[in-house]
Amino acid sequence: MAVVGSVGGPLITSVATTLHVSLAAAQWTLTVSLLTGAVATPVLGRLGSGSRRRAVVLATLGVIVAGSVLTVLPLPLGPLLVGRAAQGCGLALGPLMMASAREHLDKAGAASTIAMISVASTAGVGFGYPLAGYLTDVGGIRLAYAAALGLSAVALLVAFRFFPASQQPVAPAPDPTASGLLTAGVLVLLLVLGEASLWQHHLPLAIGGVVAALLLLAAWTLRERALTAPLVDLRLLRHRAVAGANAAMLVAGVGMYLLLSCITRYVQTPRVAGYGFGLSTFAAGLFLVPFSVVGFVAGRLSPQVRKRLSAPALVTAATGVVIAAFALFAVARGTIAGPLVSMMLLGLGVGAFSAAMPAVILEVTPAQETASAMGVNQVVRSIGFSLGSTLSALLLAAHTPAGALFPTDSGFTTTAWIGAAVTALALGISFTLRPRAAATTAP
């Protein structure tokens, strides 16, 4: 599902030319899936609790397959966006996978599987981008979307055959008012944060949108506190480890996606500007493969590493690796090796960070609240990624001379160091995740 969700990214230009729409309109083929995934995650996390989990997973995959069919048919942009919105629901399945792993596997197996599920949601990007780029070059956007349909159908068949039923008690259905307030708040927030042009040209409107989103989320909080069966147990979010983990995820997500965007734009900058490498969309997509491979390996090895390091210590170490990736890109990008190694370091940091984060949260989370707690963390990650993407666009735009198409080389340097500073804040937050030393008592 991570690969399917990422397919829209490389196809924006091709969608615009194929369907004869503007680039801004084509951008929605990516944005709408990210928005759907973010707003569906907490709702499906509660709806899919206990004995409803298998049914919700299968129904969600069915919706994704139906949406994938819409993307393949030769229809205009409207139905394509509906299909992409349906595909975005796949991003909400991760917390339900984690809840199932925690229920049906032993402690060691659950920890390893949950780590890999968390890493897969990031690593899939590195495989989806080049796959979509290559298939589009070969047979157009419909062939790329057909591959996503095939993957979705395989996922549905595998889940139907193997996904286990839950024996946990079912939680009450989500409160419609609370669900609506949370959905509206997250939707408005992500829309505003993800539109760099809004912050560039309509700053008062952007600030007003953020204020509106925060008011909606405040109303949701009040509603949640009045419910006996809330959508999200806010008491868990007040726990020091959970609150710190979500704060670290938010800030680190900003830095991680900022660097990913920055490197991707740099390697596609034409060499005629005196820097950059002028890679094609497909080649830039291949550039993400080492990021995904190293991230996957880091997630795979994290259970062994955690025999020597605690989960909070691994989060701290992974954040330090991301800072090192920023520094390397800032000072050594004259040859292709510099951005490539930076991307690999970023994959290592993101993979280890993503694998360790669930352990920090689930250490203090009841089993029946797994999907809900991890759903909130995934929404926080989406907000962080949106902030990172927008911040990268704004910083590079600020260093683009009037009339020029590309930022200056020094603009990339400045953006990298600012991203390193943001990630250093996440590094500081990670130290708060360590358990406090137990107080000693006098004999």
Side-chain angles (χ1 to χ4, degrees):
M1 288 301 95
V3 174
V4 171
S6 70
V7 162
L11 304 186
I12 293 172
T13 301
S14 298
V15 167
T17 55
T18 301
L19 302 183
H20 308 291
V21 298
S22 67
L23 281 173
Q27 177 74 30
W28 278 96
T29 58
L30 175 63
T31 304
V32 72
S33 63
L34 298 176
L35 291 176
T36 305
V39 301
T41 295
V43 176
L44 289 182
R46 174 60 66 190
L47 192 63
S49 65
S51 59
R52 290 193 299 248
R53 188 185 303 141
R54 175 177 165 84
V56 168
V57 168
L58 294 179
T60 302
L61 288 169
V63 168
I64 294 167
V65 171
S68 298
V69 172
L70 283 178
T71 66
V72 175
L73 297 175
L75 298 172
L77 182 63
L80 175 59
L81 291 179
V82 173
R84 285 292 296 158
Q87 288 180 334
C89 293
L91 301 175
L93 291 177
L96 295 176
M97 306 292 103
M98 294 179 185
S100 185
R102 198 177 186 193
E103 177 182 356
H104 293 285
L105 301 177
D106 59 37
K107 186 174 182 179
S112 175
T113 301
I114 289 172
M116 292 312 302
I117 291 170
S118 184
V119 172
S121 63
T122 302
V125 175
F127 297 105
Y129 269 59
L131 175 66
Y134 174 73
L135 292 177
T136 301
D137 289 344
V138 171
I141 60 172
R142 302 301 177 180
L143 181 59
Y145 285 132
L149 170 60
L151 288 171
S152 302
V154 169
L156 176 58
L157 292 174
V158 170
F160 183 80
R161 174 64 180 84
F162 295 107
F163 194 79
S166 172
Q167 302 303 316
Q168 291 178 342
V170 64
D175 175 69
T177 301
S179 300
L181 288 170
L182 179 60
T183 297
V186 172
L187 184 64
V188 172
L189 186 61
L190 288 175
L191 277 173
V192 173
L193 294 180
E195 288 293 330
S197 61
L198 192 64
W199 292 91
Q200 286 177 280
H201 306 298
H202 306 283
L203 184 59
L205 183 59
I207 294 174
V210 171
V211 171
L214 294 178
L215 289 175
L216 287 168
L217 293 175
W220 167 72
T221 301
L222 293 175
R223 178 66 179 176
E224 286 285 274
R225 296 180 65 179
L227 296 174
T228 55
L231 185 66
V232 176
D233 191 344
L234 296 177
R235 294 171 299 176
L236 289 175
L237 299 183
R238 292 199 302 265
H239 191 285
R240 187 173 66 92
V242 177
N246 284 318
M249 184 75 260
L250 175 66
V251 180
V254 174
M256 292 169 182
Y257 213 83
L258 188 152
L259 182 56
L260 186 68
S261 302
C262 198
I263 295 177
T264 304
R265 284 193 61 177
Y266 183 83
V267 298
Q268 293 183 82
T269 301
R271 195 67 184 179
V272 293
Y275 51 91
F277 301 98
L279 299 186
S280 65
T281 301
F282 174 56
L286 288 176
F287 211 76
L288 292 173
V289 172
F291 165 83
S292 292
V293 171
V294 173
F296 186 85
V297 171
R300 190 71 178 172
L301 295 178
S302 66
Q304 285 70 39
V305 175
R306 284 195 52 217
K307 293 176 182 179
R308 298 178 177 273
L309 291 177
S310 66
L314 184 54
V315 168
T316 300
T319 308
V321 171
V322 174
I323 294 174
F326 269 111
L328 180 63
F329 177 72
V331 302
R333 59 177 185 275
T335 65
I336 196 71
L340 182 61
V341 175
S342 296
M343 189 68 87
M344 294 173 69
L345 284 175
L346 180 62
L348 176 62
V350 171
F353 188 99
S354 300
M357 184 57 66
V360 175
I361 295 174
L362 298 182
E363 183 70 26
V364 295
T365 301
Q368 65 271 19
E369 294 292 336
T370 298
S372 179
M374 293 311 304
V376 171
N377 187 253
Q378 185 160 311
V379 171
V380 168
R381 178 168 60 179
S382 297
I383 294 172
F385 284 178
S386 295
L387 272 170
S389 177
T390 301
L391 183 59
S392 173
L394 290 175
L395 290 172
L396 293 177
H399 290 86
T400 301
L405 295 177
F406 305 101
T408 62
D409 189 38
S410 62
F412 284 100
T413 303
T414 301
T415 301
W417 286 122
I418 291 175
V422 171
T423 310
L425 177 59
L427 181 68
I429 296 173
S430 72
F431 285 103
T432 68
L433 305 180
R434 311 283 178 92
R436 291 172 180 167
T440 57
T441 57

